[in-house]
Amino acid sequence: MAGANTAAIAFIGFGEVGQTFSRGLLANEGVAIRAYDLLFGSEAGSRLETVAEELGVARAASAQEACAGAAFVFSAVTADRAEAVANEASAWLKPGQVFVDVNSAAPSTKQRAAQAVTVSGADYLEAAVMAPVLKPGLKVAILSGGPKAQAASEALNGLGMNLTPVSEVYGRASAMKLCRSIVIKGLEALMVDCAAACEAWDVKDPVFASLHATFPSIDFHALAADMRERVATHGVRRSAEMREAAEMLGVADLHPGLAQAIAEAQLRGARRKEGNR
């Protein structure tokens, strides 16, 4: 496993998480990063390529090329691609490498991904990112899980990250994240729909005043605006995350209907923004 002074790191997926983590990791002396994204080489990926060049991240022509010789391989794609990427990576990962799965996927998805990766001889680190990454950057709180969680977390924390091992069993870290997400993403969906209904009937001020009387610590006008922007900006990704939460509930023989409804509301809010462009 790479030390804090010399580390080769790969990213599969170079969106917000990959870019933010790369920026922080490259502040360490001796760190070199290669990244691969499906959009590289396309018109849509030109912005990602520009960011990679500005950061000093080498662009790879394939995920396999990005991962070759890397001590840590970060999978930072979308929730619906997390398992597929793990399956693909198992064909070229080597013993001694650590596959860090930071995708917001269901515990069962992470368990299947772990099984695929460990067949290669590489180690799988379940990583549940507990907050948006832009403001905290590399210091964003991450819960980690798996048999090698302690050692891998210590190594990554030595590079400036903020991982807390919570279990040697795969799935627990993701369950902690997604159970929390039911509340956070659910509140966002509630506030967006409440605000939209209030505006349709021109009753926002009295409704929010009534809510404030019940919850005096909350500025509902500010909260509604903030949550509308969150959903508009991140709703597509959060919708995928809530579908994973629905899978988690179903596996536990719990009704997934609420999580599915939240997923639909998040996507609806994101599409509303797209329609206004």
Side-chain angles (χ1 to χ4, degrees):
M1 191 177 293
N5 294 323
T6 57
I9 296 172
F11 279 89
I12 303 175
F14 198 61
E16 182 177 278
V17 171
Q19 294 169 30
T20 302
F21 285 4
S22 292
R23 184 176 291 107
L25 289 166
L26 286 169
N28 294 280
E29 183 178 355
V31 168
I33 296 177
R34 287 196 304 272
Y36 170 74
D37 194 284
L38 281 172
L39 294 178
F40 283 173
S42 69
E43 182 178 351
S46 59
R47 186 189 66 80
L48 301 184
E49 295 175 5
T50 299
V51 173
E53 184 175 356
E54 291 173 348
L55 292 177
V57 172
R59 301 194 307 274
S62 67
Q64 182 175 1
E65 179 183 309
C67 297
F72 294 97
V73 175
F74 283 82
S75 174
V77 288
T78 53
D80 60 336
R81 286 283 299 156
E83 186 176 354
V85 167
N87 286 329
E88 294 164 8
S90 67
W92 60 75
L93 290 170
K94 305 293 183 184
Q97 292 185 298
V98 180
F99 186 89
V100 187
D101 191 339
V102 298
N103 301 299
S104 297
S108 53
T109 303
K110 293 287 182 97
Q111 289 166 348
R112 293 191 299 270
Q115 185 175 15
V117 167
T118 54
V119 166
S120 71
D123 293 317
Y124 178 93
L125 182 67
E126 178 185 14
V129 182
M130 299 302 288
V133 301
L134 281 180
K135 288 184 179 180
L138 199 60
K139 288 295 186 182
V140 67
I142 299 175
L143 305 181
S144 61
K148 301 295 180 67
Q150 186 67 44
S153 297
E154 289 177 359
L156 290 169
N157 288 347
L159 295 171
M161 297 191 74
N162 180 23
L163 284 80
T164 301
V166 295
S167 178
E168 293 186 357
V169 177
Y170 296 125
R172 182 173 174 81
S174 295
M176 293 170 68
K177 172 184 173 63
L178 290 182
C179 287
R180 177 181 184 275
S181 291
I182 293 172
V183 174
I184 299 300
K185 276 64 175 183
L187 285 174
E188 291 173 349
L190 285 172
M191 285 306 305
V192 168
D193 277 9
C194 175
C198 286
E199 290 164 1
W201 288 95
D202 192 23
V203 294
K204 182 185 283 187
D205 286 343
V207 169
F208 283 7
S210 176
L211 288 171
H212 181 72
T214 304
F215 303 101
S217 64
I218 300 175
D219 180 341
F220 281 91
H221 284 280
L223 183 67
D226 178 56
M227 289 190 166
R228 175 176 283 172
E229 179 57 31
R230 288 192 208 174
V231 171
T233 303
H234 304 292
V236 173
R237 184 174 71 244
R238 292 181 176 190
S239 177
E241 180 179 327
M242 291 313 298
R243 286 193 291 273
E244 294 293 313
E247 178 178 329
M248 174 187 69
L249 292 168
V251 168
D253 290 327
L254 299 172
H255 198 286
L258 177 59
Q260 291 167 343
I262 295 170
E264 293 172 4
Q266 289 277 346
L267 189 59
R268 185 170 63 247
R271 285 177 172 166
R272 187 179 295 121
K273 180 180 180 179
E274 292 172 356
N276 290 335
R277 287 175 181 172

